[in-house]
Amino acid sequence: MDEENLHRKLSSLRKILERSGPFCRPDFEPSPESLKFLMQNCKILVVGAGGLGCECLKNLALMGFRQMEVIDMDVIDLSNLNRQFLFRHKDIGKSKAVTAAKFINDRIPGCNVTPHFCRIQDKEPEFYKQFHIILCGLDSIIARRWINSMLTSLLVYNDDQLDVSSVIPLIDGGTEGFKGNLRVILPGLTPCIECSLDLYPPQITYPLCTIANTPRLPEHCIEYVKVVQWPRENPFDCCIDGDDPQHITWIYEKSNDRALHFGIRGLTYRLVQGVIKNIIPAVASTNAIIASMCCTEVFKVATSCSASLNNYMVFSNTDGIYTFSYEAEKNENCLSCSHSIKEVPLKSLDVKLKEFIDILKYDNAFQLKNPSITAKISGKNKTLYVENIASLEEQTRQNLSKSLFELGISNQTDLIVADSTAPSTFTFKVKVSD
Amino acid sequence: MASPAPKSPEQSEKSRKYDRQLRLWNDHGQALLESAHICLINANALGTEIMKSLVLPGIGAFTIIDGHKVKDEDIGSNFFLDSDSLGKSRAQVTTQLLLEMNSDVRGDFIDEGPEQILNNSPDFFNNFSLVIACAMPEKSLVVLSRKLWELDIPLIACRTIGFVGHIRVQVKEHTVVETHPDNEKSDLRLDKPFEALKKHFDAIDLESMDLKDHSHTPYVIILYKYLEKWRSTYGGDMPKTYAEKEEFRQMLRAGIRKDEENVPLSEENFEEAIKAVNTCLSPTIVPSGVKEILNDNNCVNLNSKSTSFWIIAKAIRDFVENEGDGLLPQKGSLPDMVADTEKFVSLQQVYHKQAGLDVEAVWRRTLQLLRQLGKPSDSIPEKDVKLYCRHASELCVQRGTCIADEYDPKLLNVNEIVESLENPESFMVHYVMLRGVDKFIDEYNTYPGEFDDHVEPDIVKLKACISKLLGEWGCGPVVKDDYVHEFCRYGGAELHSVSATVGGLAAQEAVKFITHQYKPVNNTFIFDAVSCTGNTFFL
Amino acid sequence: MIKLFSLKNAKKDGESPKTGTQKKASAAQLRIQKDITELNLPKTCGTEFPDPDDLLTFKLIICPDEGFYKGGRFVFSFKVGPNYPHEPPKVKCETQVYHPNIDLEGNVCLNILREDWKPVLTINSIVYGLQYLFLEPNPEDPLNKDAADVLQNNRRMFEQNVIKAMRGGYIGQCYFQRCLK
């Protein structure tokens, strides 16, 4: 009986996955196996359990996905409740990831969402490696870039050929008010976040001299209090905490004084909050739209049942409904996803750093000019040698006479090399012939 | 040390909860939302997804009409049903689970289909602010749409099948004061300065300024001063052609102060003036869209049923014809520009003051009109007039068509369909398919392809439905068989994520109708989840 | 296009591909290494890295050889954040200086450090921008208004004040520490 119920519950998905159609991807094979894969094997990571994350977990669960994990370091705030629909008033202060996972697991039997209440940076590559697809619903560019760089670092190349089984597709959504965007990224194959960093608008800032001497807008007055007055007067003996109403009130009063003094209109408490916390307007509908589009893309990538978005979509519904998709281009010199791992054959790790650098400079295969080399050695950044900066040269010179072995380098180590002859950095690996 | 908190209304729990959306539609938009009562017909996945995006931001109340009992298929695609709800009233369970999300919202349900209600209690719909109908069969949708058209209540009808979504809004007339354009045009009046502005400009002498003042004079003043110069050489007109504008820019460039070695100094305000030549030197006029509104019959001939939108429009019209001297009320804002505080604020003050005077004039005319119409003078608050004046150049009126007309070949906008179908990229083909599916359901009472063993025969039947439909419209066989196959593959499947997308879109249109902010879609939107894009049509 | 379903199904049963399991350098780190490798310091500038393994934190020392500030030695601290180059580095002047565009807390008014920053700009752009501030202090948009007023109205007095400040002494109510080379 249960089996039959389940069968009926999934009838819509079964139609799409068990029947072929004229617009399916040519490699799509209709069969019950696809749905079985979604329900049993396909592991999805949802990054962020906020406006987009809550929607994504729900959508994925109802699109047949069962093995999901969600990671978010935030706790629930009152201002989340207008759109983060898995949270209630009683949940304020609790972990977003834990609360969201529990809600989904309770509502949808058989669903197995595992929460991680921590920073994305706290997880090792091994953690990220286990997923088939990663779905990002973040409001932070730093975090997006971090995930992106994690996924490009997991790519495996054999003789310069990308091993496609190491590609973990990244579906990335973002919203701001009534606008949103969505992109499908196959790291190493299609443009990544870093390829088009300039697509992200910079945060609004004002010239320091304007806010100090010739303020014209209420924002100028607020920025002045934030940048100059707060550090000078240090009213609460700590940094500004945008969630502390006492702090906001102090800033509100000081900027109000300043605005009055200069005859500037339009300063409100809401504006002060907005500027200090860099608040991005957000509404349930836009999150629902972008998150669901992301999940349709996850579904398409996971099952091959239809072509994927290629590869960027922007959305706005301030004036009617506007959608526009286009193919963003890969940056061949991208610091993150351009494949530039080179192997340097060496007799042994007894080779001195100086000799190694000479190989990079004079071997016909490399011909670099002034390579600087850094590496991560036992989890720590290490600057091995920098030629062109006098102070760094002096500090790293003693490494030249050490052997690679003494420096802690093995054939596992990624040696990051920058050189004035190339627009991006290279990763070098030593290959010891035995 | 810690001073007492100032009394700020923003501190209330409610405004903190809704903070992120209040930044989009403000407290007055929220108030409209909170007084709205929305009716949802059919709480399928699409229906509940729409309601989710309306309950969360805090609509006043909703009523769900749905005569279905919960089936397994429903539970599998609808988040607002749980595993215990099998066999229960779909209206009841979804109402309950939707209400859990927001205690500010009231909700009730009627465990009956819309057909019964339309038959038995025709007045039922009279008091809703807006009705949303999901996956409604052709026949009852036609009846409902006529009813609501008569009642002048907006209707949003929508559905999804497989990877395709369809939203149709029906509203006789929808008016928007705050359209929130992405690029707001400023109202600088360089060509027609009002008296106080002219006086302000005339009191300034760029030549005699020291460098510091010269480089901190707002570019608006610079443009005005050089326009005067231009006119003294070329007569009354502003630079119009590209060549003239380029020459004008040269004049500005030559005005930048130089150092001892005759090298131009860096004067950012002049750079801004040069950049602004393109945008700021067009003549101040009443935009054609607004002119149409002011000449609209509803504006010219007010009656006792006229809404405040049209009454204020008439007041503005009278203002334009009289004290406005052919122009709309002054907006009263000034974009930020390089300047010192005093020069900026004093110029801003001039515009602001004029805006205040214009609001007063329009307000007086509004009161006069209210008197003439026999309405109480407090039926339109002054703050509404103020808001209206501020946005007078962006007003928008949309007029729609009745959904029922689409089902009458004589009234359907066949031209739009035929023209769109000629474009191979257009999603009009999905619309035709959906209409074919309507016909199929009407005839066979199932979705084409609903049953696994009927897909092949249904393809033939659906094809026949489409041909018949196109014949009724007088079009040739313009739909490829591939689409017929694809829709039979869908078999009426409702994919949750596609419904969630269309649900979010439809909910936002509902918010636009209720708040009278932002421009709604007019009147048909087809979403294609394969390409993740959509098209708008007017049917 | 990759076909995830068949690919990953197969992958689950077999060995997962061998990847380096150490964390890769962050995008900000790669970029700063690139910037530093291409840094072309004018002869009046030098750098100090308190920890050579941390390329994200360093000091820039400017010793102007012409202009008002000739003979002085000015230290700027650079902090490059994880969002570099989307966001500019945080730069502060650690030497107290009598300068129209640098306030007494060390805030520096240089457009590319705030409103005009773009990801294509580099550390080199900032170095040249800072160097220019010492050659051409700009009294039009000041941070230190007193200094700007003096520069505008009495260049000689400004010149003397700069020298006095660099030698260590009071300008008005404010004491400046000696910062001659």
Side-chain angles (χ1 to χ4, degrees), chain A residues 310-325:
Chain A
N310 186 21
N311 48 36
Y312 198 101
M313 200 282 300
V314 286
F315 165 80
S316 162
N317 61 0
T318 54
D319 182 357
I321 300 172
Y322 172 82
T323 56
F324 178 70
S325 74

Side-chain angles (χ1 to χ4, degrees), chain A residues 5 58 89 107 253 285 292, chain B residues 3 13 49 79 501 508:
Chain A
N5 287 122
K58 173 213 64 166
H89 203 280
R107 179 64 58 90
E253 285 176 355
S285 56
S292 57
Chain B
S3 34
E13 163 120 351
E49 288 302 309
F79 191 72
T501 306
Q508 191 51 43

Side-chain angles (χ1 to χ4, degrees), chain B residues 1-33:
Chain B
M1 170 192 58
S3 34
K7 284 184 189 63
S8 12
E10 287 90 348
Q11 290 282 47
S12 79
E13 163 120 351
K14 206 170 197 174
S15 69
R16 282 195 291 141
K17 171 165 147 187
Y18 294 129
D19 178 83
R20 300 303 184 265
Q21 70 199 39
L22 292 175
R23 292 168 191 274
L24 293 166
W25 54 64
N26 235 301
D27 300 299
H28 54 275
Q30 185 67 24
L32 287 170
L33 212 56

Side-chain angles (χ1 to χ4, degrees), chain A residues 4-6 8-17 19-24 28 55 58-59 62-63 77-89 103-104 107-109 177-179 182 206 213-217 220 235-236 245-246 249-250 252-253 262-265 268-271 273-274 277 279-286 288-289 292-293 295-297 299-300 305-309 313 315-325, chain B residues 1-6 8 10-11 13 15-27 49 52-53 56-57 72-73 75-83 86 97 100-101 162-163 167 179-180 182 216 334 336-341 344-345 348-349 352 448-452 455 482-483 485-486 488-498 500-502 504-505 507-509 511-512 518-521 525 527 529-536:
Chain A
E4 249 175 64
N5 287 122
L6 184 64
R8 279 201 297 270
K9 271 187 197 169
L10 301 168
S11 67
S12 283
L13 294 170
R14 279 183 15 243
K15 282 179 186 133
I16 301 296
L17 297 177
R19 296 173 178 182
S20 74
F23 302 108
C24 292
F28 172 66
E55 294 281 343
K58 173 213 64 166
N59 290 331
L62 290 169
M63 290 300 279
D77 179 79
L78 176 60
S79 66
N80 301 143
L81 301 185
N82 78 324
R83 60 194 188 284
Q84 300 176 16
F85 70 103
L86 302 176
F87 309 145
R88 304 286 173 262
H89 203 280
F103 197 111
I104 296 285
R107 179 64 58 90
I108 296 171
F178 294 127
K179 298 182 164 62
L182 148 66
Y206 306 97
N213 286 308
T214 58
R216 299 175 295 267
L217 304 178
H220 293 156
F236 298 94
Q246 268 194 307
T249 301
W250 191 86
Y252 170 65
E253 285 176 355
F262 283 102
I264 294 168
R265 239 190 303 270
T268 63
Y269 192 87
R270 192 177 283 162
L271 184 70
Q273 271 183 314
K277 294 174 71 178
I279 291 176
I280 299 165
V283 62
S285 56
T286 314
I289 293 160
S292 57
M293 287 173 168
C295 293
T296 305
E297 292 305 319
F299 180 76
K300 290 194 274 184
C305 71
S306 156
S308 295
L309 167 71
M313 200 282 300
F315 165 80
S316 162
N317 61 0
T318 54
D319 182 357
I321 300 172
Y322 172 82
T323 56
F324 178 70
S325 74
Chain B
M1 170 192 58
S3 34
S8 12
E10 287 90 348
Q11 290 282 47
E13 163 120 351
S15 69
R16 282 195 291 141
K17 171 165 147 187
Y18 294 129
D19 178 83
R20 300 303 184 265
Q21 70 199 39
L22 292 175
R23 292 168 191 274
L24 293 166
W25 54 64
N26 235 301
D27 300 299
E49 288 302 309
K52 171 163 122 297
S53 290
L56 286 167
D72 281 316
E73 288 84 336
I75 299 173
S77 66
N78 193 331
F79 191 72
F80 295 90
L81 296 171
D82 52 20
S83 37
L86 190 65
L97 292 186
E100 264 184 14
M101 286 189 301
F163 285 116
I167 298 174
T179 49
H180 300 273
D182 278 343
H216 286 83
L334 188 62
D336 188 34
M337 56 191 72
V338 169
D340 61 46
T341 308
F344 180 83
V345 170
Q348 191 184 41
Q349 193 67 28
H352 183 80
E450 190 166 338
F451 303 103
D452 285 342
V455 179
D482 280 353
Y483 291 100
H485 285 251
E486 183 70 357
C488 287
R489 171 200 181 200
Y490 296 157
E494 185 178 20
L495 289 179
H496 181 82
S497 65
V498 178
T501 306
V502 175
L505 293 170
Q508 191 51 43
E509 295 311 302
V511 170
K512 290 181 197 172
Y518 301 93
K519 287 188 198 169
V521 73
F525 185 78
F527 177 67
V530 170
S531 63
C532 201
T533 53
N535 291 159
T536 303

